[in-house]
Amino acid sequence: MTTDDRVYFYDCTLRDGQQTQGVDFSVADKRTLSLALDELGIDYVEGGWPGANPTDDAFFEDPPKLTNARMVAFGMTRRIGRSADNDPGMAALLNSRADGLTIVGKTWDYHVDLALGADRDEYVEVIADSVRVARARKGEAIFDAEHFFDGYKANPDYALRCLDAAYQAGARWIVLCDTNGGTLPREVSRIVAEVATRIPGRQLGIHTHDDTGNAVANSLAAVEAGVRHVQGTLNGLGERCGNANLISVIASIALKTDFETRITDAQLKELTPVSRLLDERLNRAPSRGAPYVGESAFAHKGGLHVSAVEKDPRTYEHIEPGLVGNRRHIVVSDQSGRSNILARFREIGIDMDPNDPAVADLVERVKAREFEGYAYDGAEASFELLARRALRQIPDYFALSRFRVMDDRRWNARGELVTESEATVTTEVAGREMMTVANGNGPVNALDKALRKALLEFYPQLEDMRLTDYKVRILTPQAGTGAVTRVMIESADGQGRSWTTVGVSTNIIDASFNALHDGLTWKLYQEGASQAPGPRRPHAVEE
């Protein structure tokens, strides 16, 4: 599609997103994400900055073969005093195996004067020369007008001269960058409309940062004002407060405007998986509140809301969750009513008569336990176990007789200060009482290891289970034994499942064990495990 209403998406996660604190992509990460973006239908994938670091050099030595997207390399204009053909930085770009080049140049006279110490007229020629050579050597050149909005507000004539230089040199796209992220949507709309009287909107792009929380809004305002190329990052990664979240931009344009994109309905459903793929590569938990793709994006907690959603989801949902690969989620908490409980039952495969007294009993039980400190809106697995135990559907897989945890802080033989935890657990499985001992880097880790020593012989299904997150919250202000502690444990397995369980106690280790016990039990139930045969005594864990 080449109509004036066609919007092109440009992903810069692998370069701009890598400037996020704590983010450091490997070559394998870049390859995996590039292919995922390509399958998503993105028009341009910015792979990195050749010549800037060994990782990007290695990536561009053998870039992945993309089907839908153009692989773009990013870099600066040539240096002053050198030709584009004789500049080391430009040489790395021109010699890369990228399909196109994005050249960044300053368009704020303040930066030209202060940061570069250059003659303004000479720098305009630097932009033109760099873009001209990039287009001749690579076929397509994109010009990122750095600090454009600040530059335009300070000196519009000079900022526009810089754009004109790139445009006349043959840049496919002239991208207006809100590099400091301080521009508001009304300013973006006005300035883009003014620029579009000089350069056609079908050759204008937008690149925004989120320092005022307006990156997505600014991107959408720019499209409405005329630009047809939007840059952003997955999940809004980026320096400082991040870049425009391309996930939100894509979904909003595709589902809420009449603009055309190349992304199909099937590809749109990959937004949630791609968003979570990035978090998986970064080894971090996905943002539950992320627009469109977060776990809470279509979660309903209040009983009044759930009752309405049950009749027609449009009452409290702006789109159908499945359009972006997400799902509706009914939360169970002390604000829940019968509608929440019944809806959650349907989600987990329990078919109950709405008039069954067990439903009302469970509603009251949830409210009572949440008053004690439990939180089922973030611990779905524990709620499912609570419900199924009330219906006597959960086997008693193992019984706990006792456990003991000790911490040892000492200097080792090499003079290093170390702290180790040791857990001793006595369990009964299949009529056999076993005492197992394990060391860990913390008490919960030690408990987990000691339990597995006893259970794996009978339940090999637990082999691929791992703990992925651990959260503690003190619920009461009292000190010492009066304080109530809530522990949330997130677990995952080799099948891509993740689940969260909760435990509450005045003792943090006891609360941790209760959450851990639920995590193991939920995994076994989902695997269809049968209770190991043998007599069983009541176990020492609160149900």
Side-chain angles (χ1 to χ4, degrees):
M1 292 180 289
T2 58
T3 70
D4 286 346
D5 285 334
R6 163 79 149 90
V7 176
Y8 295 75
F9 296 116
Y10 179 112
D11 181 273
C12 49
T13 303
L14 305 182
R15 198 270 313 171
D16 231 3
Q18 188 161 259
Q19 297 184 43
T20 309
Q21 284 184 304
V23 172
D24 187 17
F25 293 121
S26 66
V27 174
D29 290 333
K30 289 188 171 238
R31 291 185 64 87
T32 298
L33 292 170
S34 294
L35 293 170
L37 289 164
D38 184 48
E39 292 178 4
L40 184 59
I42 299 297
D43 298 285
Y44 297 90
V45 174
E46 186 179 278
W49 189 330
N53 57 73
T55 300
D56 286 1
D57 289 344
F59 177 76
F60 277 105
E61 284 177 4
D62 184 24
K65 293 179 174 57
L66 305 184
T67 303
N68 299 309
R70 291 178 68 88
M71 176 63 71
V72 176
F74 177 93
M76 291 181 63
T77 57
R78 68 165 172 83
R79 298 177 187 174
I80 295 172
R82 287 181 178 268
S83 68
D85 287 315
N86 192 34
D87 180 86
M90 286 289 292
L93 297 175
L94 298 171
N95 294 329
S96 72
R97 297 178 62 183
D99 302 319
L101 299 182
T102 295
I103 305 296
V104 62
K106 299 186 182 300
T107 54
W108 187 3
D109 57 356
Y110 172 71
H111 265 259
V112 176
D113 297 343
L114 182 68
L116 298 180
D119 177 82
R120 296 181 185 179
D121 293 335
E122 183 180 4
Y123 190 67
V124 172
E125 181 53 37
V126 165
I127 292 172
D129 187 37
S130 301
V131 171
R132 188 181 303 113
V133 172
R135 184 194 178 194
R137 292 280 296 275
K138 286 297 184 180
E140 183 167 345
I142 298 169
F143 178 65
D144 273 10
E146 188 181 27
H147 292 288
F148 174 75
F149 290 94
D150 292 315
Y152 186 88
K153 286 183 279 186
N155 186 342
D157 290 338
Y158 186 73
L160 289 171
R161 281 185 61 199
C162 294
L163 298 191
D164 284 339
Y167 179 57
Q168 296 299 329
R172 169 64 183 92
W173 295 104
I174 309 293
V175 182
L176 312 180
C177 301
D178 185 28
T179 311
N180 282 348
T183 310
L184 297 178
R186 59 179 173 79
E187 298 177 290
V188 170
S189 296
R190 174 181 63 82
I191 293 172
V192 167
E194 291 171 4
V195 173
T197 64
R198 190 160 178 155
I199 297 173
R202 62 179 178 274
Q203 288 188 248
L204 288 177
I206 185 70
H207 177 111
T208 61
H209 285 255
D210 206 33
D211 297 74
T212 65
N214 282 290
V216 171
N218 283 341
S219 298
L220 297 175
V223 172
E224 291 287 349
V227 309
R228 294 296 179 263
H229 167 114
V230 183
Q231 296 190 359
T233 60
L234 294 177
N235 298 346
L237 286 187
E239 195 171 21
R240 304 187 312 276
C241 303
N243 290 40
N245 185 343
L246 198 59
I247 296 284
S248 299
V249 173
I250 290 171
S252 294
I253 290 177
L255 296 173
K256 295 180 176 293
T257 76
D258 294 327
F259 294 107
E260 298 174 344
T261 76
R262 74 181 300 173
I263 296 178
T264 66
D265 291 345
Q267 289 170 321
L268 203 61
K269 293 178 181 178
E270 294 302 312
L271 284 177
T272 299
V274 169
S275 170
R276 294 177 186 176
L277 170 66
L278 174 66
D279 289 321
E280 179 67 24
R281 300 300 296 197
L282 296 177
N283 193 29
R284 68 180 194 179
S287 171
R288 296 185 69 91
Y292 290 102
V293 299
E295 186 69 21
S296 298
F298 302 97
H300 306 282
K301 183 172 181 176
L304 183 63
H305 288 202
V306 173
S307 178
V309 167
E310 286 284 287
K311 296 173 182 175
D312 187 342
R314 291 177 299 173
T315 52
Y316 286 100
E317 290 178 354
H318 66 108
I319 66 165
E320 160 57 40
L323 294 175
V324 292
N326 208 340
R327 67 182 182 94
R328 181 173 303 112
H329 175 52
I330 304 302
V331 175
V332 175
S333 73
D334 61 354
Q335 297 183 34
S336 300
R338 183 183 300 268
S339 297
N340 294 59
I341 297 295
L342 291 171
R344 278 295 291 136
F345 277 174
R346 284 190 288 274
E347 283 189 9
I348 62 179
I350 298 176
D351 186 16
M352 286 194 70
D353 182 346
N355 298 316
D356 191 323
V359 176
D361 290 344
L362 191 55
V363 170
E364 295 308 313
R365 189 172 185 187
V366 167
K367 292 181 178 181
R369 286 174 71 85
E370 290 225 348
F371 180 77
E372 296 169 8
Y374 286 84
Y376 292 112
D377 59 344
E380 303 159 8
S382 284
F383 169 75
E384 180 174 352
L385 292 176
L386 178 70
R388 292 191 184 279
R389 282 171 179 146
L391 299 174
R392 302 185 183 279
Q393 295 178 355
I394 300 295
D396 189 11
Y397 294 111
F398 63 95
L400 172 73
S401 299
R402 62 177 298 184
F403 72 80
R404 181 176 60 187
V405 177
M406 297 184 296
D407 287 328
D408 182 20
R409 187 173 187 264
R410 57 185 171 78
W411 297 93
N412 64 17
R414 291 182 291 185
E416 299 168 333
L417 184 63
V418 297
T419 302
E420 295 178 331
S421 295
E422 178 184 289
T424 303
V425 176
T426 303
T427 55
E428 184 179 333
V429 187
R432 289 169 50 188
E433 186 171 81
M434 294 169 287
M435 185 176 72
T436 50
V437 181
N439 293 323
N441 56 18
V444 178
N445 180 239
L447 274 172
D448 182 41
K449 288 183 175 180
L451 270 173
R452 286 168 189 262
K453 277 189 177 181
L455 299 179
L456 280 173
E457 176 185 349
F458 304 93
Y459 304 115
Q461 300 95 328
L462 298 175
E463 182 69 43
D464 67 341
M465 178 181 164
R466 66 189 188 280
L467 308 187
T468 57
D469 200 5
Y470 177 82
K471 298 184 181 74
V472 177
R473 184 177 177 187
I474 304 302
L475 301 176
T476 52
Q478 295 97 330
T481 57
V484 176
T485 302
R486 179 169 67 213
V487 169
M488 307 279 280
I489 291 180
E490 183 175 322
S491 306
D493 62 17
Q495 301 176 53
R497 292 181 297 205
S498 63
W499 60 98
T500 303
T501 51
V502 61
V504 173
S505 175
T506 55
N507 183 294
I508 188 172
I509 305 303
D510 186 46
S512 300
F513 182 83
N514 290 336
L516 179 61
H517 176 272
D518 266 9
L520 293 166
T521 302
W522 189 90
K523 163 71 171 175
L524 291 173
Y525 183 79
Q526 295 300 313
E527 294 286 350
S530 300
Q531 177 180 326
R536 190 68 52 83
R537 295 181 299 181
H539 53 70
V541 63
E542 184 180 359
E543 290 291 6

